Amino acid sequence: MAGSDDVVLEITPQVLLKAYACGIFPMAESAEDPGLYWIEPELRGIVPFERIHVPKRLSRTIRQEIFTVRIDSDFDGVIGGCAESTPDRGKTWINARIRRLYQELYELGHCHSVEAWRDGRLVGGLYGVRLGKAFFGESMFSRERDASKVALVHLMARLIAGGFTLLDTQFVTEHLRRFGAVEIPRHDYHVLLEDSLNGFGDFFALDREADGAAVLKVLADKAGQRHR
């Protein structure tokens, strides 16, 4: 489902949260287009926590602490990185309106960034929306190899530790499939979404400065529960 919001209502952070609770989210055609459109895919991307897979090479990178991972220390820098054009992504759907809305959600405590830093530089990360026990991943970027992947693994461990039950990726890419992402029908997604809105996920149950070993232990413990 897609439609211009200009005909219906002005989007505020509160309206945006209600939209997420109904299973829809906004996008823009491009960074230059001021309009926003409501999207509700027929097939929704999610990462089931019981299916999470971390490649061995990436696990080594995480253990070696090649990147320092921070939480919510430079939200504007992360969304700016996600809005950058790259050789693989000629244009972005993140316009000025999107940036303003999600910055306001961040200030309200409903939006978070997971950031990969190296030598004092922000080199990758992701951001998304927290509501109940659901986390809605919005976008990620990487200026160095594996930076966004490391941020994603840290996010998944943080959500598991905090009792979240839904990690929504909106769509599924080959990149996300490597970590266990799948597509599910809209009806099934709404069942999961309704359940995840009952309760509270603690985004900071895992320490803000949790290192790679702590993150991998959370994921290993989850995998151990699956095999019992």
Side-chain angles (χ1 to χ4, degrees), residues 31-44:
E32 293 74 30
D33 184 353
L36 297 181
Y37 300 87
W38 292 120
I39 308 294
E40 186 180 18
E42 288 287 343
L43 292 175
R44 193 68 165 243

Side-chain angles (χ1 to χ4, degrees), residues 1 35 52 72 79 91 103 110 119 125 130 135-136 143-144 150 153 173 184-185 188-189 193 196 212 214 227:
M1 181 183 74
I52 288 174
D72 292 348
I79 199 169
K91 67 176 186 176
Q103 181 70 42
H110 280 286
D119 298 328
R130 173 185 57 78
F135 189 88
F136 307 87
R143 294 173 181 146
E144 290 192 12
V150 169
V153 173
T173 63
I184 60 173
D188 294 349
Y189 172 77
L193 176 61
S196 72
H227 295 303

Side-chain angles (χ1 to χ4, degrees), residues 24-183:
I24 60 178
F25 56 90
M27 293 185 74
E29 284 292 333
S30 69
E32 293 74 30
D33 184 353
L36 297 181
Y37 300 87
W38 292 120
I39 308 294
E40 186 180 18
E42 288 287 343
L43 292 175
R44 193 68 165 243
I46 67 167
V47 179
F49 294 126
E50 65 275 10
R51 288 176 54 105
I52 288 174
H53 170 72
V54 181
K56 289 183 179 179
R57 185 186 64 78
L58 184 61
S59 293
R60 288 196 298 271
T61 298
I62 293 170
R63 284 196 188 90
Q64 291 167 357
E65 300 289 333
I66 292 173
F67 303 104
T68 299
V69 177
R70 301 176 185 168
I71 307 298
D72 292 348
S73 75
D74 189 1
F75 181 83
D76 188 62
V78 169
I79 199 169
C82 292
E84 290 174 349
S85 296
T86 68
D88 297 327
R89 183 180 60 198
K91 67 176 186 176
T92 177
W93 54 269
I94 299 175
N95 62 10
R97 201 167 170 199
I98 288 278
R99 291 188 69 159
R100 175 179 58 80
L101 277 168
Y102 286 86
Q103 181 70 42
E104 290 175 357
L105 277 184
Y106 167 72
E107 291 168 0
L108 291 172
H110 280 286
C111 211
H112 298 286
S113 60
V114 182
E115 309 149 10
W117 293 76
R118 190 172 189 183
D119 298 328
R121 294 176 51 247
L122 177 64
V123 294
L126 58 86
Y127 76 96
V129 175
R130 173 185 57 78
L131 190 61
K133 295 184 292 183
F135 189 88
F136 307 87
E138 283 298 314
S139 189
M140 61 175 58
F141 79 102
S142 190
R143 294 173 181 146
E144 290 192 12
R145 181 182 180 182
D146 291 338
S148 64
K149 295 175 185 176
V150 169
L152 177 60
V153 173
H154 273 254
L155 171 69
M156 294 188 296
R158 183 165 295 277
L159 298 181
I160 290 170
F164 286 77
T165 56
L166 175 63
L167 172 52
D168 175 358
T169 65
Q170 299 177 349
F171 305 103
V172 172
T173 63
E174 286 306 310
H175 169 78
L176 290 172
R177 285 188 195 280
R178 297 189 187 103
F179 292 90
V182 297
E183 291 180 325

